Amino acid sequence: MANVTDPLARPIHGTNPQNLIEYITRQRIYDSQYWKEQLFGCTATDVAEKAASQLTAIGGVFGGNAKPTRFLCLILKLLQIQPDDEIVDELIKNDSFKYIRALGAFYLRLTGRPSDIYEKLEVLYADSRKLKYRNPSDWSLIHMDEFIDQLLTEDRVCGIALPRLPSREVLVESGYLEGPRISPISKLLGGDSILTDLNDQDIDINSLENEVEKIQNILIEMVKQGNKCASEALSERGMNIDDILKTEKSEIYTKEKGKKKSKSKFGTLFKVSTTGKSPNESKADQSSEHGVFENSDEYWNDERAKLGLKPLRK
């Protein structure tokens, strides 16, 4: 009975919610130790607590025996208990725990209506935090906005076949969505950016070029931080990503070289003469000014006289 869907749960896409995950994968989750020990009799609150304390990566199945990840087990538990829409919204709006947000976004992609999916997930494009992704054979790092883009554009994510999602243009033409999506970059460019009013006929070409240059600079900074989507966007525009990364490495090298120079200048406890000469050289110069040269008899007789000794024998 632990694997039965909640009797009060409504059908999703005309079927049992648990059937959204393939039968073989579902049976492997039922047989996993984490499902039997940690997720028995859990409520939506318990799932959120376990996601906050135990979830450290996202992914589907891994290893030679196709072992399911904890992320996939929690997704199936949410499909089984079918939490309220308000709870799912709170999971997505959670800023403190990124894996809780990823969990809520994946569940909404499986069960939500197309208009709700676009409205609630497109906001997460502004989240660029890193996520650990468990591949079938290794590990990788992706960003939250990349994960959201996969949910909105790809057919399979984390090894799970996603329900068909109409394109945004179709939903706009049908009246389910209002207007095109406003990019989060427009906030960086200012609230009065001309990008929010492209239908205006009196657009200044110079101002448009300035806005495009700002966007390009932002994309370059994102590439330097390792964002794959920004790299693909610049590659489509004919820019060489290797040149950008080489420039970044040269800037880092020059900064480190400047630090080494400053350390060599201020990293000694001994006094440095203003003339740049050593103390012995300065003494030799002083003695040469008085006509007495170092290692001469007169020099050593003067030194012995200072110590109260007799002069050297000739």
Side-chain angles (χ1 to χ4, degrees):
M1 296 297 291
N3 302 334
V4 179
T5 307
D6 189 348
L8 300 178
R10 66 183 185 276
I12 301 296
H13 304 296
T15 183
N16 189 327
Q18 293 194 79
N19 292 340
L20 296 175
I21 295 180
E22 290 84 349
Y23 175 79
I24 297 177
T25 305
R26 195 165 65 245
Q27 294 301 320
R28 288 194 176 113
I29 294 174
Y30 293 154
D31 296 336
S32 64
Q33 185 178 2
Y34 182 75
W35 176 270
K36 295 177 181 179
E37 292 183 356
Q38 301 292 334
L39 301 182
F40 179 79
C42 287
T43 62
T45 305
D46 298 331
V47 171
E49 292 179 356
K50 292 183 182 298
S53 59
Q54 301 176 1
L55 198 60
T56 58
I58 62 175
V61 295
F62 64 94
N65 56 353
K67 183 179 179 181
T69 59
R70 294 183 177 182
F71 179 80
L72 208 57
C73 295
L74 292 172
I75 288 294
L76 184 60
K77 176 55 69 172
L78 290 176
L79 293 173
Q80 186 184 69
I81 62 179
Q82 198 177 76
D84 297 335
D85 295 339
E86 292 79 7
I87 296 178
V88 179
D89 293 341
E90 291 300 323
L91 294 178
I92 296 174
K93 294 177 182 178
N94 194 304
D95 292 331
S96 302
F97 300 96
K98 55 187 178 182
Y99 291 106
I100 291 182
R101 171 172 284 184
L103 186 73
F106 194 91
Y107 177 79
L108 179 65
R109 176 64 180 85
L110 289 174
T111 61
R113 294 180 298 177
S115 58
D116 294 337
I117 292 173
Y118 280 106
E119 289 177 354
K120 296 177 181 179
L121 294 190
E122 284 178 342
V123 183
L124 304 184
Y125 273 125
D127 192 348
S128 59
R129 289 179 292 182
K130 294 181 179 180
L131 299 172
K132 288 192 290 185
Y133 188 85
R134 190 67 162 96
N135 296 313
S137 58
D138 57 358
W139 292 87
S140 63
L141 280 177
I142 64 172
H143 296 79
M144 179 68 75
D145 53 351
E146 296 179 62
F147 181 64
I148 298 301
D149 187 68
Q150 292 178 4
L151 293 177
L152 295 178
T153 58
E154 298 184 5
D155 296 330
R156 295 185 70 89
V157 178
C158 297
I160 303 300
L162 302 176
R164 182 182 177 278
L165 183 66
S167 63
R168 183 182 179 87
E169 290 76 10
V170 174
L171 296 177
V172 171
E173 293 177 358
S174 302
Y176 292 101
L177 293 176
E178 296 181 357
R181 179 178 68 90
I182 299 177
S183 174
I185 297 180
S186 62
K187 297 181 180 179
L188 300 176
L189 300 174
D192 298 332
S193 174
I194 61 173
L195 296 178
T196 59
D197 192 14
L198 292 178
N199 294 324
D200 189 1
Q201 299 296 328
D202 299 330
I203 295 179
D204 187 8
I205 300 300
N206 294 328
S207 60
L208 181 60
E209 291 178 353
N210 293 332
E211 298 293 337
V212 172
E213 186 177 356
K214 288 182 181 179
I215 295 175
Q216 184 173 333
N217 293 334
I218 294 173
L219 290 175
I220 291 174
E221 292 298 326
M222 294 171 67
V223 169
K224 293 178 181 179
Q225 295 174 2
N227 194 299
K228 295 181 180 179
C229 292
S231 301
E232 294 176 358
L234 291 179
S235 298
E236 292 177 357
R237 286 160 176 80
M239 295 189 65
N240 194 346
I241 305 301
D242 295 334
D243 294 340
I244 297 174
L245 297 179
K246 287 180 181 178
T247 306
E248 174 68 12
K249 290 181 181 179
S250 63
E251 291 177 356
I252 295 174
Y253 176 75
T254 52
K255 289 181 181 178
E256 292 179 353
K257 193 174 182 180
K259 291 180 181 179
K260 289 181 180 179
K261 287 183 178 179
S262 61
K263 286 183 180 179
S264 62
K265 185 176 181 181
F266 303 104
T268 177
L269 297 176
F270 299 99
K271 292 183 179 180
V272 180
S273 62
T274 57
T275 60
K277 299 181 180 180
S278 62
N280 294 330
E281 292 177 352
S282 61
K283 286 183 178 179
D285 293 341
Q286 292 176 1
S287 60
S288 61
E289 290 177 359
H290 296 287
V292 179
F293 297 95
E294 189 177 359
N295 295 329
S296 63
D297 293 341
E298 296 179 359
Y299 172 78
W300 289 114
N301 287 332
D302 293 339
E303 294 295 328
R304 291 175 67 86
K306 292 178 182 178
L307 297 175
L309 300 176
K310 295 180 179 180
L312 294 173
R313 294 180 182 179
K314 297 184 180 179

